[in-house]
Amino acid sequence: MIPSSVATPPGLLRAWAWGAGAALLGAALYYAVVALTGYELGVVALLVGWLVGSAVRAGSGRVGGRRYQLMAVGLTYLAIVSTSVPRTLEALGAFKGKPAGTGVGYVVLTTLLTAGLAVVAPFTSGMENALGLVIIGVSLYEAWRLNRAPVV
């Protein structure tokens, strides 16, 4: 039996599952908008922050608190930056010219390395991406705000 001090609260796993689902949905929506319009519209990132924050809040049973805030922020950030992975792989021509039977290991490693680059990419452009950083920051703040602990 797991001691109660180490046990995961049931709402934590449910909040993560709901938040991860919302993050996947938000990332798909964000990627679809970029693919269809050719523009990264900041309002979609704000929507992703609200969507993930709301899902984590609902999944937690509206408990809120620091662990849910950190979860919502992390999932929101990953959802936003992950939308650049397919475009980066395409721009690098990562799989062009590779035989049809290219190993799963190559595909997985290339995708993971590209995902790692996506995580730091918003900070590597300096002031050229200042507005993008502000939009990401506001999105993360929204996810954070939605998961504050209730005031008693």
Side-chain angles (χ1 to χ4, degrees):
M1 179 160 175
I2 299 174
S4 62
S5 61
V6 216
T8 303
L12 195 61
L13 184 56
R14 189 175 54 246
W16 184 87
W18 288 27
L24 287 171
L25 177 65
L29 175 66
Y30 198 158
Y31 181 76
V33 168
V34 172
L36 292 172
T37 66
Y39 296 105
E40 288 195 41
L41 303 175
V43 71
V44 181
L46 299 175
L47 176 64
V48 172
W50 177 84
L51 189 66
V52 173
S54 296
V56 169
R57 181 80 174 168
S60 74
R62 306 190 69 71
V63 172
R66 190 76 64 215
R67 68 178 75 182
Y68 297 107
Q69 288 177 307
L70 292 170
M71 179 188 305
V73 165
L75 289 170
T76 298
Y77 187 73
L78 290 175
I80 292 170
V81 300
S82 70
T83 60
S84 69
V85 172
R87 290 177 286 146
T88 304
L89 287 171
E90 184 181 325
L92 293 173
F95 305 120
K96 288 183 181 169
K98 300 292 181 213
T102 298
V104 173
Y106 173 80
V107 172
V108 169
L109 182 61
T110 303
T111 304
L112 286 175
L113 288 173
T114 306
L117 289 173
V119 170
V120 298
F123 302 99
T124 60
S125 300
M127 290 308 292
E128 291 179 21
N129 191 30
L131 182 57
L133 289 172
V134 168
I135 290 169
I136 290 172
V138 172
S139 302
L140 298 178
Y141 174 75
E142 182 64 13
W144 178 270
R145 185 188 64 77
L146 285 167
N147 287 283
R148 287 185 293 209
V151 179
V152 180

